[in-house]
Amino acid sequence: MRYTSCLFLITCLITSYCWASAEDKISFTDVTEAAGLQFRHVDGRSGERYFPETVGSGTAFFDYDADGFIDIYFVNGADLPGFNSPVPPMNRLYRNNGEGTFTDVTERAGIGDTGYGAGCAVADYDNDGNLDLYVTNFGANVLYRNNGDSTFTDVTQHAGVGDSRWSLGCAFADYDNDGFVDLYVTNYIDFHFETHTHCTRKGVATYCPPESFEGAPDTLYRNNGDGTFTDVTTIAGVYNKDGKGMGVVFGDYDNDGDSDCYIGNDAGENFLYQNSGDGTFTNVSWMAGVEADENGNVQGTMGVDFGDYDNDGLLDIIAINYQQQPNALYRNDNGNFFTDVSFVAGIADSIPYVGWGVDFFDVDNDGDKDLLIANGHLQDTVEKYDDTTTYPQRNHLLINNGHGHFANESVKVGDGLQSLKVSRGIATADYDNDGDLDVLICNANDTPQLLRNDGRNQGNWILIRTIGTRSNRAGIGTRIEIHTDDLTQIDEVRGGSGYLSQNDLRLHFGIGAYKRIDRIEAKWSSGIVDIIRDIAPNQMITIVEGSHSQQRD
């Protein structure tokens, strides 16, 4: 026995790495109550099964008061016909106190929208140094301008972005590289209470499927640079009446220096809009191989994200789907075409689940992107007619082994991921500034979960904040490359992603056992490239555009 142990130790020392189970490296603790988050989502259900009740809502991690601590915004539903809350539901803003707790500052901040909310995204749309917030609704959407004094002003009417259709996802990106972030809004279906009908399955009352409704075209708003926006949906080439848009994410998948856009549609083909560089887009989803699964079957896609899971310098795509439709991982092969690697990568074991929120993030600081997926069925009566699934479901943490394969380690990572919930939007951030990423999960008609990452992993890390000068102030769209010996990683600053949610705008990278970072490159939308060399890990740094610059070729 002693000989075997010594041999194992020697082998570990020779290879410089010992495989450890997830339970040795990762642990999430549910700190929602201790943190003072008293929010509860309301979907307004009265038994009529109106379709808006099904989609839940999202959340945002963002530093609204610029104090260095990440705050939390929750999007809420509202009363629907036949349902009356004792206290009208509203969205809530919680300020991070910097010592593990949060304070509800909604009233003081003036950001408590009472519409039937869905999603949100964050950016500095007016380049004044303060992060602003956009909220989508079943009804008119809302743009809040951050006044810089911990308060916000509703500027929707002036800005011209108050789409009154049923909007779900939203994302900011500077698609035309003019230094001002633009806004994409996904619109879902054309639902009206007056034409609501009742549906059943095997004699059981259910919500009608999305195929029962007409879709609604999305909207792209171009930022005019003066506090207003112009609807350029048609002239930009992204008008499509057949979409039932849910998740939206921007990323430069073809590495040509401008932001492309991927849309997850429910019960229809997904859209990949390639940026032509002249203010227009072309839908290349079919040609690129990301409109459906590997067999050409369209899916009911909710959440979407870009991330370089195999560290080859190309952004891959994750699309999270409905029950009996495997979640899809599309590997970016060459900047033009993708391959559906869902089964070989180990993420397609999702048949009983209905997936919503998703995020590529390095949970264990080992230098590759893992996946978090929020699950929860759409039908609250599903267990009465289908014994293969449930309404509340367990969320999934998929750990990347660094060789192109993911393992579901959800049951091994502490009590935080063991609950059965009806989850929807998720967001990630290092809210306690301790070097690892924490998780926020929105649960439909329920309380949220703030999961603190208490892993015992020893991986080093770096947290990067971007400040644009010629580019947009928050640096949205900036690509960061981390070069550490033989490990190179990329990520981009995104104003909205996943499902209806906003991650921390600061980019987090794990670098494992490496003691130094050889080089960090920040490639801005203006064409400027900042290069910083020989950086110590385990710190947060701020990169200001042009501070270490050269012009991109």
Side-chain angles (χ1 to χ4, degrees), residues 59-74 93-98 101-102 105 109 111 120-124 128-133 144-152 427-433 440 463-467 473-474 476 493-495 502-507 540-542:
T59 186
F61 268 128
F62 77 119
D63 186 4
Y64 85 98
D65 54 358
D67 66 349
F69 293 97
I70 303 304
D71 311 297
I72 291 173
Y73 188 74
F74 290 113
L93 176 65
Y94 287 87
R95 181 181 181 274
N96 189 332
N97 299 320
T101 67
F102 293 79
V105 294
I111 205 168
C120 58
V122 170
D124 184 358
D128 66 351
N130 306 306
L131 294 177
D132 311 298
L133 177 72
Y144 289 107
R145 187 189 68 219
N146 190 329
N147 299 318
D149 59 359
S150 297
T151 69
F152 291 79
T428 58
D430 184 6
Y431 84 89
D432 51 2
N433 289 341
L440 188 60
L463 199 61
I464 300 173
R465 178 185 177 218
T466 55
I467 298 178
R473 181 65 179 266
I476 289 173
V493 183
R494 295 187 182 89
Q502 173 70 58
N503 296 323
D504 185 0
L505 290 172
R506 303 176 303 179
L507 292 185
M540 186 186 84
I541 67 171
T542 298

Side-chain angles (χ1 to χ4, degrees), residues 119-123 125 133-137 141-143 160-163 165-176 180-188 216-223 229-251 259-265 269-275 279-283 285 304 306 476 494-498 500-502:
C120 58
V122 170
Y125 82 93
L133 177 72
Y134 189 74
V135 179
T136 60
N137 287 313
N141 301 330
V142 183
L143 175 63
V161 292
D163 197 323
R165 291 170 292 183
W166 184 6
S167 302
L168 290 182
C170 56
F172 287 100
D174 183 7
Y175 80 90
D176 52 1
F180 292 92
V181 289
D182 312 295
L183 175 63
Y184 192 104
V185 179
T186 64
N187 291 311
Y188 189 35
D218 299 338
T219 307
L220 175 62
Y221 296 102
R222 182 181 181 275
N223 191 329
F229 292 76
T230 298
D231 183 340
V232 295
T233 309
T234 301
I235 63 174
V238 297
Y239 177 85
N240 195 317
K241 64 182 180 60
D242 297 323
K244 295 176 181 175
M246 302 193 87
V248 51
V249 63
F250 279 89
S259 293
D260 312 295
C261 184
Y262 189 66
I263 310 295
N265 288 308
E269 70 174 48
N270 297 330
F271 303 149
L272 177 61
Y273 290 117
Q274 185 180 45
N275 193 328
T280 67
F281 293 84
T282 302
N283 185 2
S285 56
V304 294
F306 277 115
I476 289 173
R494 295 187 182 89
S497 63
L500 316 184
S501 296
Q502 173 70 58

Side-chain angles (χ1 to χ4, degrees), residues 1-9:
M1 182 69 176
R2 182 178 300 173
Y3 172 78
T4 302
S5 300
C6 291
L7 181 61
F8 176 73
L9 178 59

Side-chain angles (χ1 to χ4, degrees), residues 101-123:
T101 67
F102 293 79
T103 299
D104 187 336
V105 294
T106 309
E107 291 187 14
R108 174 176 175 356
I111 205 168
D113 185 43
T114 56
Y116 198 99
C120 58
V122 170

Side-chain angles (χ1 to χ4, degrees), residues 195-213:
T195 57
H196 169 67
T197 59
H198 295 88
C199 293
T200 61
R201 184 168 179 183
K202 296 183 178 180
V204 177
T206 64
Y207 291 96
C208 294
E211 292 88 345
S212 303
F213 307 94

